[in-house]
Amino acid sequence: MPFQIVKKEQLSDNMFRVTFHAPLVARRAQPGQFLMFRVDEFGERMPITISYFDREKGDVTVIMQRVGSTTALLASMNEGDYVADVVGPLGNPAEFDNMHKVIVVGGGSGCAIAWPQAKGAFDRGCHVDIVAGFRTKGIVVLEDEMRACCKNLYMMTDDGSYGEKGFTTVKLKELLEKAKAEGEQYDTCICIGPLPMMKFVCQITKEYGVHTMVDMNCIMIDGSGMCGGCRLTVDGQRKFTCVDGPEFDGHLVDFDEAIARSKIYEKQEARVFQRRHHCTLQELADREEAARKAAKEGK
Amino acid sequence: MATNLSPTKNPIPEQEPNVRNKNFDEVALGYTVELALDEANRCLQCRRPQCVTGCPVNVKIPDFIKLITQQDFKGAYHKILEDSSLPAICGRVCPQENQCESKCVRGIKGEPVGIGRLERFVADWVMQNADEMPEKPERNGHRVAVVGSGPAGLACASDLAKLGYDVTVFEHLHKAGGVLAYGIPEFRLPKALVQKEIDKLTALGVTIQCDATVGKALLIDELLSNDPDVGGYEAVFIGSGAGLPVFQNIPGLNYCGVFSANEFLTRINLMKAYDERYDTPLMPISKVCVVGAGNVAMDAARCAKRLGAEVTVVYRRGEKEIPARKEEYEHAKEEDIIFKLLTNPVEILADENGWVRGIRCIEMELGEPDARGRRRPVEKPGSEFEMECDAVIMALGTSPNPLLRKATPDMEYTEKGGIVADEHGVTTKPGVFAGGDAVTGAATVIKAMGAGKEAAAAIDRYIMKK
Ligand SMILES: Cc1cc2nc3c(=O)[nH]c(=O)nc-3n(C[C@H](O)[C@H](O)[C@H](O)COP(=O)(O)OP(=O)(O)OC[C@H]3O[C@@H](n4cnc5c(N)ncnc54)[C@H](O)[C@@H]3O)c2cc1C
Ligand SMILES: Cc1cc2nc3c(=O)[nH]c(=O)nc-3n(C[C@H](O)[C@H](O)[C@H](O)COP(=O)(O)OP(=O)(O)OC[C@H]3O[C@@H](n4cnc5c(N)ncnc54)[C@H](O)[C@@H]3O)c2cc1C
Ligand code: SF4
Ligand code: FES
C-alpha cells in the first residue's frame, strides 16, 4: 500500500521537510516517536523521528538530513510521489514529567528531533533554553521554530559564519556554570545530535549533576524488537533502541560502543549510493550548487 | 497392499552440495511422478495408522497416500487440506522425523515412508498442473482482526474467511508471511510459494494490511471498539510470534560483526542483501562462527556459506542433542560447514576498533542428565582455545516480543512472556484469541498453523453464540 508525499520543502543545502499521508501513523503519534519508511521495493527500512503530525488530515512530517543513499532518494522525490512504506509510530513517546528548567542541546539534524521535544516541554510550562549547533551557516534550519518555544536561543556554528562561533558544548558549559552561580541549576538537559556530541554533552552535564535525556539513533531493520541490531548498553544492560528507546538517560549510555556500532555499514553504504545515484553525495551536492548558481546568474 | 518393499525411502533429487552452497535456489528438487508413485507404494495403509497420531494436526496420511497411488493427486491435495492449510510449506519445513515419520511402522525395520516428500509432491503437482484461486465465499457480516501474518495468523484468517468472515490481517513488516518471509531462507522455502499462499488468502477476500503495528498504531481494545475508523471487529486473533532474539551473556556481544540470527537472516531473506538490486548492506564476511545448532543456526550457517564465507557452527552439546531437523544438519555438513560440537563460546574478541577478530571457546563434556533427560554439558577445565573469525552469529533462540504485551497489560502472560491461552486459543481477555509462537514460545510451523485453525473454530463458536 503506497504512501503519498503530500508536501516537501528544502530547508537548507541538505535538510528537507517531508510530509507523508499515513493516517495509521498519525492517529496515535506522540512527540519522541519515530516512523520507518521504505522508498521502494529495493529500499532499506529507514528510521526517522516524527516532527509533526496532523491527526485530522492523517499526515506525518519528518525533517531529514540528506546523508546517504536512502535519504538522498527521498530528497529527490516530489510532492505527489509515493513511497512504498511508512510504518509507525514506533518507540516510546518522550517523557516530560518532573521537568521545570530545561536546557535543550541540538546538533545539526539533531535539531529537527530536539525541536518537537523542546516544544513539548515549553507547552507544558517549562523554562526552556536551547543551544543549537550547526557546522556552518548554510545548514542552519528551524531557527524560527526553535525561537518560538524557548526563552533563550543560542545559535552556534563551528566556523562562526552564523550566531556565535564554537561548539554547543562550550556554550552549554557556560550556561550551566552561570545557572549554578545563580543557584538555579537546570533540572533537565535534552540532548540530540551526532553521537560524539551527545557523548561530550553528557560528560559535562554529569559534572554538574543535570539529568540528561538523549535520543539514540542506531542502525535499525525492523523497528519492532525482532533483530537486535539496534542494541546498545545502558547502565550495563542490553537495550533495544527501537522498543526500549529511543530516549535514554544519557549518563548511563555506553557511547563508545554506540559510536563503533554506528560505523558497521559505512563502506557498503557508499557503494549503495554510487549504484543508486551514479555519483557520490559530494558530487550530487556540487551539481545542485552549480545548478542553483546557474539559475541565479541566469536571472 | 504395499507393493514396494524397499527398506529405504526414495531419495529426493537435490542440487549438488558444491553447486548449491553458492546459490540461493532451492536445495531439494522434489519427487517426480514416478518417484512419488514408487514411494507411495511403500505405505502399508495401516488400519490404525500411527503416523497420524504423530502429526500435530492429524493429517489423514494413509488416505492421501492412497490417492497418490491411484494417481489422483488433486484428490490427495484436498485430503491434506482437510486438516492442514499450507501443504507446500509444511511438506518442506516440518520436522517429520520427530512427527509422522517417527511413528510410521515401516520405520521399525528400515526407513519410514517419505511422508513429507509425498506431501510436498502433491502440493507442487497441484500448483503446477491444476492450480486454481479459491472463490470468495459469501460473507456472513461478521468481522475479525488477525495480528501477525505468520503461519498462525494465515491459517486462522484462511479458515475464518472460508466460513464467510470479513478478516483483516495486520502485519508490522512490509511483507506478509512472518518467519516464512523473514527467517527461513529461499533455498529451503522459495518465497514465491509463500506469496502464492498469501495471494490465495487475498482471493478469499482477506485484507492484508502491512505496515500496521498493533500495540503502537492500533490497540487491541480499539479494534474491538466501535471506533468508525479502526474498530468494529468482534474478535481478535493474536499470532505475533516469538521474534525477540535471545543473546548469551558473554563479553563482547556488542562488537561490530556480532549479529543475532534474526538480524542476519532478515537482512538476507526479507531485505534480500544477496541480491544486487537491493540497497540492504551486509558486512563482508570471510570466516563466520555460528553459535547454536537449531534450525535457525543451520539456516544462518548455510546463508553465510552461500555468501562465500568459511562457516563453523559451535554447539555446547553433542551430535545426538542437535535440535535442528536432521535433514538440515545433514545438508549443512554436505555443504562443507564445519561443526565444533561440545564447545561453548566464553568471549568474543575484537580489534582495537571494536570489530570482531575471533571467539574464545571452551570444550565441554556431557555430565548428568537434566530434568528433560538431556545430558548436561560441563566445562572441561583448562581447555580454552581461540578461533579466528570476522563475524559471530548468535542463534540461541527467541522469546515472545514484548511490544504487544506492553500495550495490552490487561491480559495474562506466562513468566517467559507468552500469552496465556487454552488449547482453543482462548485468552484471559474477552474476544481475544491467540496461538502459535506467541503462546508457546519458538516452536514449529505446523504447530502454529494448527493453533491458528483451532482458534478460527473457537472464534466462530464465540461469535455465533453472541
Ligand atoms: C530513532 C531514529 C530517529 C531518527 N530521526 C532522524 C531525523 O529525524 N532526521 C534525520 O535526518 N535522521 C534521523 N535518523 C537518522 C537516519 O535514520 C539516518 O540518517 C539514515 O538512516 C541515513 O540513511 P541513508 O541511507 O541516507 O544513509 P547511509 O548511506 O545509510 O549512511 C550515511 C551515513 O549515516 C550513518 N548512518 C546510517 N544509518 C544511520 C542511523 N540509523 N543513525 C545514524 N547514522 C546513521 C552511516 O554510518 C553513514 O555514515 C534517525 C535514526 C533513528 C534510529
Ligand atoms: C530461521 C528460522 C527457521 C525455522 N525453521 C523451521 C523449520 O524448518 N520447520 C519448522 O516447523 N519451524 C521452523 N521455524 C519455526 C517456525 O518458523 C515458527 O515456529 C513459526 O513461524 C511460528 O509462527 P507464528 O505464526 O506463531 O509466528 P511468526 O511466523 O513469527 O509470525 C509473526 C508475525 O507477526 C508479526 N507481528 C509481531 N508483532 C506484531 C504486532 N504487534 N503488530 C503486527 N504484526 C506483528 C511479525 O512481524 C511476524 O510477521 C524456524 C524459525 C526460524 C526463525
Ligand atoms: S504408519 Fe507408515 S505405513 Fe502406516 S499408514 Fe502411516 S505412512 Fe503408511
Ligand atoms: S531495529 Fe530490530 S530490534 Fe530494534
Side-chain angles (χ1 to χ4, degrees), chain A residues 28-43:
Chain A
R28 290 181 56 82
Q30 291 184 63
Q33 290 188 295
F34 65 96
L35 58 79
M36 294 186 93
F37 71 89
R38 206 171 62 117
V39 169
D40 57 26
E41 169 58 24
F42 303 107

Side-chain angles (χ1 to χ4, degrees), chain B residues 212-226:
Chain B
T213 318
V214 178
K216 289 288 179 190
L218 310 140
L219 302 182
I220 304 261
D221 280 334
E222 290 176 330
L223 294 169
L224 290 169
S225 74
N226 295 324

Side-chain angles (χ1 to χ4, degrees), chain B residues 178-191:
Chain B
V179 170
L180 308 178
Y182 75 74
I184 304 181
E186 178 77 18
F187 57 82
R188 257 198 329 123
L189 181 64
K191 299 305 149 222

Side-chain angles (χ1 to χ4, degrees), chain A residues 27 41 85 222 224 227 231, chain B residues 172 211 217 253 260 278 282 401:
Chain A
R27 65 182 297 273
E41 169 58 24
D85 304 277
D222 57 298
S224 66
C227 74
R231 67 190 184 277
Chain B
H172 165 73
D211 299 321
L253 263 187
S260 74
Y278 285 75
L282 199 63
N401 192 320

Side-chain angles (χ1 to χ4, degrees), chain B residues 41-61:
Chain B
N41 277 321
R42 290 184 64 227
C43 174
L44 303 172
Q45 293 294 318
C46 307
R47 230 170 332 137
R48 263 193 237 109
Q50 289 308 302
C51 54
V52 178
T53 66
C55 173
V57 299
N58 308 120
V59 167
K60 299 176 196 83
I61 293 165

Side-chain angles (χ1 to χ4, degrees), chain A:
Chain A
M1 243 173 295
F3 296 79
Q4 192 170 37
I5 297 173
V6 289
K7 199 155 192 265
K8 185 193 134 191
E9 300 154 81
Q10 185 154 10
L11 302 177
S12 74
D13 290 0
N14 271 328
M15 294 285 275
F16 297 81
R17 178 155 44 203
V18 181
T19 302
F20 299 108
H21 184 60
L24 211 48
V25 183
R27 65 182 297 273
R28 290 181 56 82
Q30 291 184 63
Q33 290 188 295
F34 65 96
L35 58 79
M36 294 186 93
F37 71 89
R38 206 171 62 117
V39 169
D40 57 26
E41 169 58 24
F42 303 107
E44 289 189 76
R45 296 170 64 90
M46 203 42 67
I48 197 148
T49 305
I50 301 170
S51 315
Y52 327 69
F53 43 82
D54 184 331
R55 298 216 166 104
E56 296 273 288
K57 288 195 196 146
D59 291 347
V60 283
T61 302
V62 299
I63 298 175
M64 164 199 80
Q65 184 178 19
R66 184 169 59 189
V67 295
S69 180
T70 306
T71 44
L73 273 178
L74 185 62
S76 71
M77 296 176 82
N78 296 310
E79 287 176 7
D81 289 349
Y82 289 85
V83 295
D85 304 277
V86 177
V87 61
L90 301 171
N92 299 307
E95 285 184 25
F96 299 101
D97 298 346
N98 305 320
M99 283 186 195
H100 306 286
K101 190 174 179 194
V102 182
I103 182 145
V104 176
V105 185
S109 68
C111 292
I113 312 175
W115 168 70
Q117 303 220 11
K119 187 168 183 308
F122 191 73
D123 290 347
R124 283 167 180 76
C126 297
H127 169 115
V128 178
D129 291 334
I130 302 181
V131 181
F134 295 90
R135 242 181 17 258
T136 180
K137 185 176 176 198
I139 60 170
V140 169
V141 286
L142 299 175
E143 186 174 352
D144 295 341
E145 283 89 341
M146 289 191 286
R147 201 174 292 285
C149 64
C150 67
K151 186 125 191 279
N152 303 296
L153 172 67
Y154 305 92
M155 297 294 286
M156 313 287 295
T157 48
D158 297 2
D159 60 3
S161 56
Y162 192 71
E164 284 179 62
K165 180 176 159 77
F167 292 135
T168 50
T169 41
V170 176
K171 181 52 94 187
L172 171 70
K173 199 158 176 155
E174 188 188 309
L175 293 171
L176 293 182
E177 195 55 50
K178 186 161 151 252
K180 187 178 161 192
E182 290 167 356
E184 283 184 58
Q185 192 50 281
Y186 295 93
D187 52 62
T188 309
C189 171
I190 299 173
C191 170
I192 305 166
L195 287 169
M197 183 195 97
M198 293 199 282
K199 175 182 162 179
F200 291 119
V201 164
C202 287
Q203 280 172 3
I204 294 168
T205 56
K206 198 165 182 180
E207 246 173 72
Y208 288 86
V210 177
H211 176 63
T212 302
M213 299 305 293
V214 293
D215 254 51
M216 299 301 290
N217 41 13
C218 301
I219 292 171
M220 293 189 176
I221 306 184
D222 57 298
S224 66
M226 183 266 276
C227 74
C230 65
R231 67 190 184 277
L232 40 81
T233 305
V234 181
D235 200 14
Q237 300 207 313
R238 187 163 37 252
K239 295 284 176 194
F240 288 3
T241 307
C242 65
V243 286
D244 299 322
E247 198 177 49
F248 292 101
D249 180 338
H251 294 161
L252 303 177
V253 170
D254 182 339
F255 279 103
D256 293 334
E257 179 186 277
I259 290 169
R261 286 185 65 79
S262 73
K263 303 204 166 106
I264 299 182
Y265 296 109
E266 241 170 19
K267 288 193 196 108
Q268 287 87 324
E269 274 148 2
R271 209 172 313 138
V272 167
F273 197 99
Q274 278 281 353
R275 209 190 56 232
R276 280 268 198 173
H277 303 273
H278 310 289
C279 65
T280 64
L281 182 58
Q282 191 54 52
E283 283 162 12
L284 184 71
D286 291 349
R287 211 185 294 159
E288 280 180 4
E289 177 66 29
R292 263 199 300 274
K293 237 187 221 154
K296 234 189 228 162
E297 279 159 13
K299 263 184 218 152

Side-chain angles (χ1 to χ4, degrees), chain B residues 159-285:
Chain B
D159 278 16
L160 286 170
K162 285 176 190 155
L163 291 170
Y165 286 89
D166 207 332
V167 185
T168 306
V169 179
F170 296 96
E171 168 58 52
H172 165 73
L173 292 172
H174 57 263
K175 215 174 206 85
V179 170
L180 308 178
Y182 75 74
I184 304 181
E186 178 77 18
F187 57 82
R188 257 198 329 123
L189 181 64
K191 299 305 149 222
L193 272 177
V194 180
Q195 192 53 47
K196 194 107 190 191
E197 295 299 340
I198 289 162
D199 292 345
K200 280 190 185 155
L201 267 196
T202 319
L204 281 170
V206 173
T207 306
I208 299 191
Q209 185 159 4
C210 287
D211 299 321
T213 318
V214 178
K216 289 288 179 190
L218 310 140
L219 302 182
I220 304 261
D221 280 334
E222 290 176 330
L223 294 169
L224 290 169
S225 74
N226 295 324
D227 185 308
D229 292 328
V230 297
Y233 298 96
E234 289 167 72
V236 176
F237 173 76
I238 304 175
S240 54
L244 190 81
V246 172
F247 286 92
Q248 189 183 20
N249 269 322
I250 57 171
L253 263 187
N254 290 356
Y255 288 139
C256 299
V258 186
F259 305 96
S260 74
N262 266 5
E263 174 177 0
F264 185 71
L265 289 168
T266 301
R267 283 186 183 277
I268 293 172
N269 300 320
L270 181 71
M271 307 302 295
K272 310 244 181 287
Y274 64 88
D275 183 334
E276 267 287 295
R277 295 169 303 160
Y278 285 75
D279 291 347
T280 316
L282 199 63
M283 40 165 290
I285 44 179

